Amino acid sequence: MRKPAILALSAAATMALTALAGAAQAQARTGAATATASSSASTVRYAWLNSCKKKDGYLPCGSWRLTLRNGRDSVLTDAQVFPRTAKGKIDKQSYTPLSVSGDGRQVSYFRKKDGMLVVRDVTMNKVRALPPSVSKLPKGIGMGDLTTSLSRDGGLLTIDYYDDDDKMPSLVVNVRTGKVRKIPADASVVGFSPDGKHLLVSRGTAENTTQFSVYDQDGRRTNTQVVPQVVANNSPMALADDGSSVAVLITTASAKQRLRVYDLSEDTVGDAVDVRVPKNESAKRLEWTPDGGLKLWETLDSAKTGETYRVVVRSLDTDTGATAKLDSFRVKPSVWTWWLPGE
């Protein structure tokens, strides 16, 4: 049975940027493919995979692409798109997991030519391969039977396996050193604190409740609680750098958004704060900022198709619920899947 997902996780994004000059040399140096961007300094707004009409409907197609903050698109041709199953076959009805760091500078993916998990620095156009022991899939696990996520600066990568009996521990990999630590098999990764020093995970208990735990960089559990339903049953959520404060966005039956902050150490839930956003926006992602505020990603969806067509990024005051627009961009129509940095 697959682990329950508390948040849309992770998985997703990739790229290779063409340098302003010497594109052929850059491609040879990194083993990556062509990019349509003219600047290698721009970070990622979102990663996406195209959807193509087939005789039986629509299926994923093409290469993974990144839309950058400079408005350009970049194509990553060295990334595996269709996952290999545990039996080594290609599944063209699914896609291989990718992920983008919260700062939009790092992208992780399976490399097509050798099946290695790699992390690419988008702004520097450099690729770092993870140790072979990390890239090698456990018996019975295919590329589509896992999800990955990167810390905000891309220094840490989680690998969360979907095994039937929940006996396979998740991995937390230090991208720079290759050091690996393990998280209990029955826990699902929720996300990192912004500084990457804490990891929040979730597990369902035998009493049909939800337990949150926090692990530090050395793999030690520093916090754990069976959390209230108002915390467990809502999303998005975000863990702060203190390793205890969990911000949770609640969407009410009337489509209003409310913020509550749960203290994992004290097992207390703060008062609800009404979030001031337009009624046609839906909460998608949440992240703490260094000043103790929050950054909120909101989506606008088409009333006809249900597809997301725009993302608005806002600052969020935790005391008043006031927001201010930081960024806004369109999402391409009819994509198969798309992922924001940090998802």
Side-chain angles (χ1 to χ4, degrees), residues 1 12 60 68 74 122 157 190 199 259 283:
M1 181 178 296
L68 307 176
S74 175
V122 170
L157 174 75
V190 177
L199 178 66
L259 172 71

Side-chain angles (χ1 to χ4, degrees), residues 34-272:
T34 346
T36 57
S38 63
S39 170
S40 62
S42 191
T43 55
V44 179
R45 271 180 167 157
Y46 71 101
W48 54 282
L49 188 60
N50 210 357
S51 174
C52 294
K53 175 70 175 177
K54 305 293 182 181
K55 61 179 180 180
D56 296 327
Y58 288 87
L59 290 173
C61 61
S63 298
W64 278 99
R65 297 169 181 262
L66 298 180
T67 293
L68 307 176
R69 287 189 60 83
N70 61 14
R72 299 177 183 272
D73 286 343
S74 175
V75 184
L76 180 64
T77 60
D78 70 333
Q80 184 87 19
V81 173
F82 302 114
R84 288 192 177 275
T85 67
K87 296 182 178 180
K89 296 182 178 180
I90 298 294
D91 179 6
K92 291 194 173 183
Q93 297 188 10
S94 185
Y95 58 90
T96 303
L98 306 168
S99 54
V100 184
S101 62
D103 62 8
R105 297 173 65 91
Q106 310 286 334
V107 183
S108 72
Y109 53 91
F110 282 97
R111 190 162 54 190
K112 187 187 302 183
K113 70 176 183 179
D114 54 13
M116 295 287 287
L117 266 170
V118 302
V119 176
R120 174 180 294 280
D121 186 317
V122 170
T123 60
M124 301 297 292
N125 198 28
K126 294 182 179 179
V127 177
R128 184 191 299 268
L130 299 184
S133 60
V134 173
S135 298
K136 184 179 179 181
L137 297 176
K139 185 178 180 181
I141 296 291
M143 288 180 175
D145 301 324
L146 58 90
T147 186
T148 61
S149 62
L150 284 164
S151 61
R152 190 181 191 281
D153 69 352
L156 297 171
L157 174 75
T158 65
I159 306 173
D160 206 3
Y161 297 109
Y162 296 146
D163 53 316
D164 291 337
D165 51 8
D166 273 354
K167 291 184 178 180
M168 205 168 292
S170 300
L171 305 182
V172 182
V173 185
N174 187 309
V175 174
R176 298 177 180 89
T177 67
K179 184 178 179 180
V180 179
R181 57 186 171 92
K182 297 180 179 180
I183 299 298
D186 61 351
S188 295
V189 173
V190 177
F192 288 99
S193 59
D195 62 9
K197 295 181 179 180
H198 306 279
L199 178 66
L200 178 65
V201 303
S202 170
R203 62 177 288 269
T205 72
E207 297 179 345
N208 200 29
T209 58
T210 301
Q211 181 182 33
F212 280 6
S213 297
V214 174
Y215 291 85
D216 65 13
Q217 289 179 305
D218 297 318
R220 295 174 298 195
R221 192 171 70 175
T222 59
N223 241 327
T224 187
Q225 293 284 358
V226 173
V227 301
Q229 286 188 350
V230 70
V231 177
N233 295 344
N234 287 285
S235 68
M237 64 179 65
L239 176 68
D241 284 341
D242 62 8
S244 180
S245 301
V246 180
V248 183
L249 243 296
I250 300 161
T251 302
T252 69
S254 60
K256 291 184 178 180
Q257 295 181 39
R258 290 175 181 162
L259 172 71
R260 303 192 78 162
V261 178
Y262 173 66
D263 188 321
L264 194 61
S265 298
E266 301 295 330
D267 192 25
T268 56
V269 182
D271 294 336

